[in-house]
Amino acid sequence: MTTQLSRRSLLALGAGFGASAMLGSTALAKAPKLNTQTPYWHRFVVGDAEITVVSDGPLPLGDPSGTFTGVPKEEVKKMLVDNFMNPDNVVLEQNSPVVNIGDKLVLFDTGMGTSKMFGPTTGQQQKNLAASGIKAADIDAVVCTHAHIDHIGGLVGADDKPLFPNAQVYITQADYDFWTDEGKLGSPLKDFVLHARKNLLPVKDRLVFIKDGQEFLPGIQAIAAPGHTVGHTIFMVTSKGKSFSFLGDLTHHSVLLMEKPRMEFSYDTDPKQSAATRVKLLDMLAAQKIPVMAYHFAWPGYGHVAKAGEGFRFYPEPMNMQL
C-alpha cells in the first residue's frame, strides 16, 4: 500500500510533533542553569619554565571613537564589526603570566586591585591566583611593565599593605618618577598619579629599577618600549632555548592596533612615539617568530604575530590542556 502525504499534511504532522515534544520535554528541562564559568587561569610550559596565566578580569573601555584615534571612527567600527566584535564597547582583558623558573616565582603586572575606575569586573587577580594553587606569599618578584593603574593597582590591598609580602618589585625609574610625582596631582593625570602613589610608595623599600637590555632575573630580559609611558618596558622570557615576550601595553587590541599599528591610543603618554615603538618591536617579534603574550588581548592572550600587509595579525595559540 502506498501512502501519499500532501504538503498540508506534512506541516500539520510537524506541528503535532512540535507540540508533543514541548509537552513531553518538561520533565527533561528542569536542570538549573549553573551561572558559573571555568577557572580564570591557564597553565603551559616554555622550555623548562612553567607559565600560569591569571586574569584580573575584563576591563571595558566603552565607545572606541574617543580612545582609538588617527583613523576615521567609521573605519574603526567597521574593523570591529568585520571581526565580530562589539563596535560600541571595546572590552580588554588583563592577562598576567606567573613564571616559575625553578628558584624564582615571578609575576608580571598586578591588575586594577581595589580600584573600580573601569567598572566592577576587575580586581580578580588575587582570587584567580589562589584558584590556580599559587600563594601570594610565594611570589619572589613582581615585574611591572609600567605604572598605569591596571598594571600596578594590585601591589597593595585596601589597607595599603603589600599583597606580595615576600616579593621585590621591578620597574623602570623613569616610570616610577613620572607617575609618583606629587606635582602632577593638579593635572589631568591626577587619578593615575594617586593610584600609582598608593601602590608604589608602600613598596618603595623593595623596588629594584631595571634598565633596557638588562637580564635582571635569570632568563628575564628588559626591552625598552617607550611611548605608552615614558618607561614602558616589554620582557623576553627564555628557558632551555625557548622564549616568549610579554608585551604589556605595546598593543592594546588584537585587531585595531595590529591591523593599523600606527593608529593612536588616547592613554599613551606620547601616542606617536608609542606607534613607532609598536611597529619596530612587532616587526622584530614577527621576523624572529617569537611567541608573545599580550596583557589586553582576549584570554589568555598567548599566540604569535605575523606581518599582514602594512600591519600585523595575531594568531592565538590553542589552549593545550596537557603540560
Side-chain angles (χ1 to χ4, degrees):
M1 185 178 75
T2 301
T3 301
Q4 292 184 340
L5 294 176
S6 69
R7 181 174 180 273
R8 180 176 296 177
S9 300
L10 285 171
L11 288 172
L13 185 63
F17 278 137
S20 62
M22 285 190 290
L23 290 172
S25 66
T26 53
L28 301 177
K30 286 190 175 180
K33 294 179 180 179
L34 299 178
N35 295 317
T36 57
Q37 281 287 11
T38 54
Y40 225 162
W41 61 271
H42 175 60
R43 189 165 284 143
F44 60 98
V45 171
V46 174
D48 199 36
E50 183 180 77
I51 319 298
T52 304
V53 192
V54 293
S55 174
D56 192 56
L59 191 157
L61 291 181
D63 190 326
S65 61
T67 307
F68 298 88
T69 60
V71 172
K73 63 180 181 181
E74 295 78 12
E75 187 173 349
V76 169
K77 293 203 170 190
K78 184 178 186 304
M79 291 170 68
L80 293 170
V81 169
D82 287 350
N83 284 275
F84 304 97
M85 295 177 173
N86 187 339
D88 301 313
N89 183 25
V90 170
V91 179
L92 308 180
E93 280 288 351
Q94 298 178 94
N95 310 310
S96 287
V98 183
V99 180
N100 188 330
I101 50 178
D103 59 345
K104 293 285 185 185
L105 194 60
V106 183
L107 167 68
F108 291 81
D109 289 340
T110 65
M112 291 287 295
T114 58
S115 172
K116 297 304 176 185
M117 183 187 294
F118 291 96
T121 57
T122 63
Q124 300 184 36
Q125 188 183 87
Q126 288 288 319
K127 177 183 72 175
N128 291 318
L129 273 174
S132 76
I134 295 174
K135 297 177 181 177
D138 290 341
I139 299 290
D140 298 295
V142 176
V143 177
C144 302
T145 55
H146 61 297
H148 275 174
I149 179 59
D150 53 324
H151 295 259
I152 50 86
L155 282 172
V156 303
D159 58 2
D160 294 336
K161 293 182 179 178
L163 290 172
F164 304 97
N166 300 311
Q168 289 184 300
V169 179
Y170 296 80
I171 195 169
T172 61
Q173 184 163 4
D175 243 48
Y176 174 82
D177 290 346
F178 185 95
W179 293 104
T180 60
D181 180 3
E182 195 172 4
K184 293 187 176 69
L185 290 175
S187 75
L189 301 174
K190 175 184 175 180
D191 288 341
F192 281 85
V193 173
L194 282 172
H195 286 297
R197 290 174 63 83
K198 169 184 167 59
N199 283 275
L200 289 170
L201 295 184
V203 299
K204 188 175 181 180
D205 62 339
R206 59 182 72 186
L207 288 179
V208 179
F209 294 128
I210 55 178
K211 299 182 185 303
D212 180 30
Q214 179 185 5
E215 185 177 329
F216 57 93
L217 288 167
I220 300 177
Q221 182 185 25
I223 301 172
H228 180 56
T229 64
V230 293
H232 180 256
T233 303
I234 71 171
F235 299 94
M236 194 72 70
V237 179
T238 302
S239 173
K240 292 290 181 72
K242 302 290 185 181
S243 299
F244 81 94
S245 180
F246 181 55
L247 302 184
D249 282 2
L250 182 70
T251 171
H252 288 75
H253 200 275
S254 60
V255 173
L256 300 180
L257 295 179
M258 295 292 284
E259 289 185 8
K260 294 190 178 296
R262 294 193 181 276
M263 186 185 300
E264 297 180 3
F265 185 67
S266 64
Y267 288 95
D268 289 340
T269 301
D270 186 335
K272 295 194 183 314
Q273 183 186 37
S274 181
T277 296
R278 181 161 47 249
V279 171
K280 174 186 174 183
L281 292 178
L282 290 178
D283 263 333
M284 179 269 290
L285 293 165
Q288 297 184 21
K289 299 185 182 301
I290 296 171
V292 302
M293 178 177 291
Y295 186 71
H296 287 304
F297 284 12
W299 169 258
Y302 187 71
H304 305 270
V305 172
K307 285 287 292 181
E310 296 181 359
F312 302 89
R313 183 172 174 184
F314 176 68
Y315 294 85
E317 178 80 8
M319 293 173 68
N320 189 340
M321 295 295 113
Q322 183 176 359
L323 288 175

